[in-house]
Amino acid sequence: MEVIQESPDVLQFNEEEKTELQNDETITAIKELEHGIHVALETYSNVHRGSGHFSAITTQLYEHAREIVLGYLGLSRGYVVIFTTPRSADRLMAQLQPGSFQLVSPSDFGLSLGVRAVAVRKTALPKGVPFHVGGGNARLVSADWIVWTAAPDKFEAGTPAIINVIALTRALQMIQQSGKDIFRKNNPEKLSASEILYHDQLENFSGRELLEELRKTRIGCGIQVPTVEGMQPFVNLDNSASTPTFEPVWTAFRQTLRQPEQVKREVVREVKSICAEFLGAPADEYEVIFTLNTTEAINLAAESIGTETCDGGESVVVTTLAEHSSNDLPWRMLPNSSMIRLSPDKEGFIDLTELETLLADYNQNNGHGAQRIKLVAINGASNVLGVCNKLDEISRIVHRYGAHLLVDAAQLVAHQKIDMLGVGIDFLAFSAHKIYAPFGTGALVVRKGLLHFKPDELAKILSSGEENAAGIAALGKALAIMQRIGSDLIKSDEIALTRKVLNGMAQIAGLDVFGIKDTASAEFSYKIGVIPFALKNKMATQVGKELALLGGIGVRTGCHCAHITVKHILQVGPGLEKFQKLIVTLFPKLSLPGVVRVSLGIENSEADVDRFIQALGTIASKARSPSKKEVKQQVNDFVRVVTERIYN
């Protein structure tokens, strides 16, 4: 570089050299930011309700992010920070008085992460029902009432964009050190959408060989955690809550984050095509709307349906008692509408004859006056029982009587093949963080002509979701890789592991396993790798903690944002349900009875299952738990060290 020297103490650079220096600074800053994100991915899990080491770390990182935002804005603890999407931030701020909040947007300093941080004075928070409802923002749910959580969870329905939030707050720390323009300079690493989405170190592999090679690239693979037996590799059996990711998927996110706007738009368009092919939803029949998560996608569908009329009568939505809160609560909020919930059998299946009788009574025989069943909203696979609904049969019945079918596919997309057009699915919602792309995106795939938003509002919806182009790229990459592996192979491997888990659990005394447990039954092929259970004389939360401390195993415990489902399988009666409502109102942090849930992903192995069965057998054989005080301190230290690696 040519340096123009005017005096021994002063260096001056021409414009080309200044640009080169600024670009170097930007590249260095981006690399530092990427390093922090990668460290977070090594121990990524879902927040708040997991029992393993990784969930504790991710929860700590996510909650500490709120403190970083307050520090950046110079605000006190009289404020609460809410992380949300651009559109939801606008809707929240519209309910607030001027001067009662401050907004942090990563786009203001050159990063497109698809998130916003809104710091709101606690006394100014809106009362009543939040505008997005679903998983995580309800403390306890019954068929007739809801106890909402306190802020900020009340305004963060569904799984938040955890990794994107960590990226935002790490960037805020760097901006405080180096200035707001540190990420704004030109970035010379320009790639095409095709290069990002279809080319990587695994592009020459397919099928079984690709699956084996992909597993080697799992971020965080082999990380050791403290247990009673010493340091052991962490075993993630909490894939239904959220999945880890792999290096090619992370690379797609990282590369897209660096691209100019034109390339990002190309990536978004191409991922829509990938989604259409993967889901059997051709572009001439369906449109893909990117969202934050499944919860936001279903809320969008409900918002649209709520604007329609039903020939002057009241519309009816049919769901089941086996739904996640995100496919229950939004339908309660529809104006001029009511709900009917079908009861599943002990394995989790609904009675198709009952469904048809109901539809015929409302829509053909006019048995309820002007009321008409407009929509059947059902899960593709239960996040508690792990049973897949027979969607082709359900769809035929639903459409025979003039209704539409919405499928909550959050638990289905990563596990079994979906053919939206062939089956006849009108709306389908899913999240990328359950498909090995935990970067804050999801989608509503909807038959054309069924969304009813005004053009300006639809533009806001599209802009809000598509701002997170890097997260969308990660989703597209994950789906493209899974397409090359093949859904049949993924399903057969998962069935084999599920059978091994159930057979191992059958040998342990004192276990109650819910849902399908007979591996020889004809219905077993409808089972994904989700196994809920309870251990006699032990709370679910205690079992989860002991699995973590004894075996380094992460599972999920509680009601899994499916309170009605869990109370149904545990046979919680009306009297106990009312008592629980009183308890959570008086003691919001108290743990309620629930179930332990094991959930498998493509990274899991027979060795993981063996470790789980061994640890569970040890727990079940002991009437009292041994003291683990020293190990608990080691776990706390482990969480602190990882947090400091990212935020210091």
Side-chain angles (χ1 to χ4, degrees), residues 53 224-228 230-232 548-549 552 631 634-636 638:
H53 304 65
Q224 304 269 323
V225 296
T227 73
V228 170
M231 300 296 290
Q232 297 189 67
L549 295 177
V631 178
Q634 292 173 0
V635 172
N636 292 338
F638 182 73

Side-chain angles (χ1 to χ4, degrees), residues 387-408:
V387 64
C388 297
N389 277 301
K390 300 172 183 178
L391 296 177
D392 51 349
E393 297 179 44
I394 292 170
S395 178
R396 282 195 294 271
I397 296 169
V398 168
H399 290 103
R400 184 180 302 154
Y401 296 96
H404 290 129
L405 176 64
L406 178 143
V407 176
D408 170 1

Side-chain angles (χ1 to χ4, degrees), residues 61 83 86 168 191 227 267 279 309 337 489 510 526:
L61 289 169
F83 294 115
L168 164 63
L191 300 169
T227 73
V267 166
L279 299 169
T309 60
S337 180
L489 174 58
Y526 290 95

Side-chain angles (χ1 to χ4, degrees), residues 312-557:
E314 179 184 293
S315 63
V316 179
V317 176
V318 175
T319 65
T320 80
L321 293 178
E323 301 305 314
H324 189 284
S325 292
S326 294
N327 197 32
D328 178 270
L329 299 183
W331 309 117
R332 301 195 197 194
M333 308 304 161
L334 285 184
N336 302 313
S337 180
S338 60
M339 282 179 64
I340 298 173
R341 298 184 185 88
L342 300 175
S343 295
D345 62 23
K346 64 179 182 179
E347 291 188 331
F349 294 103
I350 63 169
D351 185 332
L352 299 183
T353 301
E354 181 185 3
L355 174 63
E356 182 158 16
T357 300
L358 194 66
L359 280 157
D361 193 29
Y362 274 84
N363 292 8
Q364 179 175 285
N365 302 330
N366 301 326
H368 297 267
Q371 286 187 317
R372 296 289 182 271
I373 295 175
K374 190 170 197 173
L375 182 76
V376 174
I378 195 166
N379 63 73
S382 167
N383 74 309
V384 176
L385 294 169
V387 64
C388 297
N389 277 301
K390 300 172 183 178
L391 296 177
D392 51 349
E393 297 179 44
I394 292 170
S395 178
R396 282 195 294 271
I397 296 169
V398 168
H399 290 103
R400 184 180 302 154
Y401 296 96
H404 290 129
L405 176 64
L406 178 143
V407 176
D408 170 1
Q411 300 294 333
L412 190 63
V413 174
H415 303 277
Q416 298 200 11
K417 184 176 178 59
I418 297 175
D419 181 4
M420 288 187 66
L421 184 62
V423 171
I425 299 170
D426 300 300
F427 301 83
L428 184 136
F430 69 98
S431 291
H433 75 94
K434 297 183 190 290
I435 320 170
Y436 312 101
F439 300 97
T441 195
L444 175 66
V445 185
V446 55
R447 199 182 292 274
K448 288 188 173 180
L450 293 186
L451 280 187
H452 300 278
F453 290 103
K454 293 179 180 179
D456 59 339
E457 193 60 35
L458 181 59
K460 291 178 182 178
I461 291 168
L462 295 174
S463 174
S464 180
E466 294 177 8
E467 181 182 302
N468 184 18
I472 292 169
L475 167 61
K477 188 73 168 185
L479 292 179
I481 289 173
M482 291 180 69
Q483 186 91 328
R484 284 166 39 215
I485 293 172
S487 58
D488 290 343
L489 174 58
I490 292 171
K491 180 178 178 179
S492 65
D493 273 14
E494 185 172 332
I495 285 177
L497 279 186
T498 304
R499 180 177 287 111
K500 184 177 178 65
V501 173
L502 287 170
N503 289 340
M505 294 176 76
Q507 308 305 312
I508 299 174
L511 282 183
D512 284 330
V513 178
F514 305 100
I516 299 172
K517 49 191 172 185
D518 180 1
T519 61
S521 73
E523 307 291 4
F524 185 65
S525 62
Y526 290 95
K527 173 84 171 172
I528 63 170
V530 173
I531 303 108
F533 69 93
L535 182 58
K536 288 183 173 61
N537 302 320
K538 278 188 183 286
M539 289 280 287
T541 50
Q542 184 61 30
V543 175
K545 290 175 183 177
E546 293 192 19
L547 284 169
L549 295 177
L550 285 172
I553 299 165
V555 297
R556 190 129 306 221
T557 64

